[in-house]
Amino acid sequence: MKEGLRERTRRAVRAELAQVAIDLFARQGFDETTVEDIARAAGMTKRSFFRYFPTKEDVVFDGIDLTGENVVADIAARPADERPWECLHHVLQAWQEEIHASEQALATIRLIEATPALAGRLHQRRTEWRRRVSDALQHRPGTDLDPYTADLLTNAATAVLDAVSSQWARSDGNANRPALLDQGFNQIHVDPNPQQE
Amino acid sequence: MKEGLRERTRRAVRAELAQVAIDLFARQGFDETTVEDIARAAGMTKRSFFRYFPTKEDVVFDGIDLTGENVVADIAARPADERPWECLHHVLQAWQEEIHASEQALATIRLIEATPALAGRLHQRRTEWRRRVSDALQHRPGTDLDPYTADLLTNAATAVLDAVSSQWARSDGNANRPALLDQGFNQIHVDPNPQQE
DNA sequence: GACTATCATGTCACCAAGTGACAGATGACG
DNA sequence: CGTCATCTGTCACTTGGTGACATGATAGTC
């Protein structure tokens, strides 16, 4: 399987590039670091950098699952009789606990929130993610949600996520993210049935 | 008042630039339109364009209040005994009805949602807006919210806003935005008091 | 009406993020 | 060994955005 081998080395180069880049960003800031800098530090050309990552921003999102790739699958795996909001709560809780346990992930979050360009890119990725989550929620066995309500649920979940991040930033990174998430999900309730009137 | 006069002509130039730019964007797309194009079409230089708008994206947000500038003031003006979620509902409902009545505003929304770069800039502006809204909500007379709950409320409100936009896009712009907003606010409930346990 | 400070604009030079085209090195495989 | 695919460097180019400087119009003052 030569395809596999090529893919493996390609992944290795990406990882190396990501490592080098995040180091530089942490040390001298995102805007102050040029793609040329990153590439040279990793022993290649600017042009080659762009053969591994489409933009300067994307290098930050490599390796760490900050956009919950597997969340979609997890939703489908939940029991069919679970209410949608509780389903989201459970799945995101598990995901957030993973993140919270990784010092590297937390450092990356800090970097992203301190850098407008990166925050923008995260939002862009989250937008695609939300579409997939909303779909998964809607087509879950045993439930019958209209698309608007599915979006409402999904967006409310990211509302909690964002509030957690803000509070976490306010506490200088000392707050317990999973606990905050839990509290947030308990304070918000989403009616899965549109008002009949 | 010469200051006032200068400000008035400056505003006029900005409006002209915005008009020309949006026309070009609608006709040939955002990415396919260069700043040079806009500037030339408005009878000036690229350099001068950037003396009126900090970025190419910002020209789109001129004139139309897509980030609810006055919403903050409106929140403070609501009766003190109103529950925070109902306060947000009322204020955003009024604002959304203004938007919905303006064909120009709706066209701009369409353009923004179809253009990732513009969607990103909107998100950036919304982030600042949310901070101000959350503050206003928290320091409203008669209420006593912790910052986390205030964020939860504000973010939940933008969750509704985003769901409205998605549904509106799904309906090809035929859906009634204020009605959707109303429904969304009724389907979500936010407990203004953290769980005591 | 001449004098002067102010402000808008154009010009030029520059930097950084990307992208396309081409040429050479490398390495797998028959 | 030869061949083919892939990776890489080099070069040239476009576009967004900025700093520095010169100039021309304008408004206010004597």
Side-chain angles (χ1 to χ4, degrees), chain A residues 6 13 43-48 51-52:
Chain A
R6 250 205 314 279
V13 175
M44 58 173 67
T45 316
K46 186 183 89 170
R47 192 64 186 85
S48 276
R51 291 198 248 253
Y52 287 96

Side-chain angles (χ1 to χ4, degrees), chain A residues 92-173:
Chain A
L92 293 187
Q93 190 80 41
W95 172 55
Q96 201 57 221
E97 261 148 23
E98 267 179 45
I99 301 271
H100 192 72
S102 157
E103 192 43 58
Q104 193 190 353
L106 294 180
T108 304
I109 292 179
R110 267 186 282 267
L111 175 63
I112 292 172
E113 314 236 290
T115 314
L118 291 174
R121 192 81 186 91
L122 176 62
H123 170 254
Q124 215 169 313
R125 294 197 167 214
R126 277 259 164 91
T127 301
E128 303 164 24
W129 175 77
R130 280 191 300 185
R131 222 200 53 244
R132 293 204 308 276
V133 168
S134 185
D135 273 13
L137 212 56
Q138 204 191 154
H139 299 115
R140 210 161 57 108
T143 45
D144 181 36
L145 291 175
D146 60 300
Y148 182 62
T149 302
D151 281 351
L152 231 37
L153 284 155
T154 308
N155 292 354
T158 71
V160 177
L161 244 31
D162 287 345
V164 167
S165 272
S166 299
Q167 182 64 22
W168 185 70
R170 257 194 296 272
S171 76
D172 279 322

